Amino acid sequence: MKTWMIVLIVIGVVLTALIIALYFLGKKAQKKQQQQQEMLQANKQTVSMLIIDKKKMRLKDAGLPQMVLDQTPKLMRRTRLPIVKAKIGPQIMSLICDDKIFDSVPVKKEVKAVVSGIYVLSVRGLHGRQEAAPPKKKSRFKQALEKAQEKAGAKPLK
């Protein structure tokens, strides 16, 4: 056999083993996430709160309790999380918001929120209409692509 065939066989075996390992790790992570979601749903409660501010910031800069910082994995401590600063009753707290609803959380408005511990699961407006989130800015690539399509006479993508 030639050496290039042996190299291809070894690469194929390594890739197959890697795909199998990733499959099982993915299944394990999916089960863990499902258990966490069930726990969040079991401990949820509805709270009325005034949203003071919202930002994406690092965990250590967010003003969360030290116990939360100690329990988070080291890799997670450096990532930016959606943090909501809210007044719940007489107390001002920093809460971690769900990524899916972060853009729809109104600032300086009173809302009814479904909270599980320090995690905000959903938000509903309490007084007045809830404003739609402002449209996201287009990236430079999309802007250049639209300009090029306008010059070519084609319909712009949305």
Side-chain angles (χ1 to χ4, degrees):
M1 268 208 258
K2 300 194 177 196
T3 56
W4 63 271
M5 288 183 74
I6 294 171
V7 169
L8 281 178
I9 291 171
V10 169
I11 290 173
V13 169
V14 168
L15 285 177
T16 305
L18 186 65
I19 289 172
I20 291 170
L22 286 175
Y23 172 76
F24 286 112
L25 286 174
K27 272 186 116 173
K28 185 177 177 182
Q30 191 174 18
K31 283 182 184 176
K32 193 173 184 180
Q33 183 183 20
Q34 187 177 9
Q35 287 175 342
Q36 288 173 347
Q37 283 293 350
E38 288 172 3
M39 204 163 80
L40 284 175
Q41 293 299 325
N43 296 327
K44 69 180 182 180
Q45 54 189 178
T46 305
V47 177
S48 177
M49 63 173 69
L50 174 70
I51 306 294
I52 298 171
D53 191 21
K54 68 176 187 175
K55 287 182 186 174
K56 287 199 175 197
M57 54 182 19
R58 289 200 169 93
L59 211 55
K60 66 178 182 178
D61 301 333
L64 294 169
Q66 185 63 37
M67 189 172 80
V68 174
L69 295 175
D70 294 340
Q71 289 179 353
T72 54
K74 292 199 183 213
L75 292 175
M76 262 314 261
R77 292 180 193 174
R78 298 191 55 82
T79 60
R80 293 180 180 263
L81 292 175
I83 303 293
V84 174
K85 191 168 268 192
K87 183 176 182 184
I88 304 172
Q91 198 172 20
I92 295 177
M93 296 179 66
S94 293
L95 304 167
I96 300 172
C97 186
D98 194 3
D99 244 349
K100 299 170 196 158
I101 64 159
F102 182 69
D103 292 331
S104 66
V105 175
V107 180
K108 300 205 182 348
K109 298 242 175 156
E110 194 170 341
V111 295
K112 278 223 186 253
V114 177
V115 179
S116 178
I118 61 165
Y119 197 74
V120 180
L121 298 173
S122 69
V123 173
R124 286 192 326 265
L126 193 62
H127 297 295
R129 289 190 325 224
Q130 195 166 355
E131 299 167 11
K136 290 187 176 180
K137 290 184 179 179
K138 294 181 183 176
S139 66
R140 290 183 188 250
F141 176 74
K142 284 195 177 183
Q143 289 174 354
L145 186 66
E146 284 182 2
K147 272 188 180 180
Q149 286 178 342
E150 283 177 15
K151 287 181 181 178
K155 287 185 177 179
L157 293 174
K158 289 189 178 181

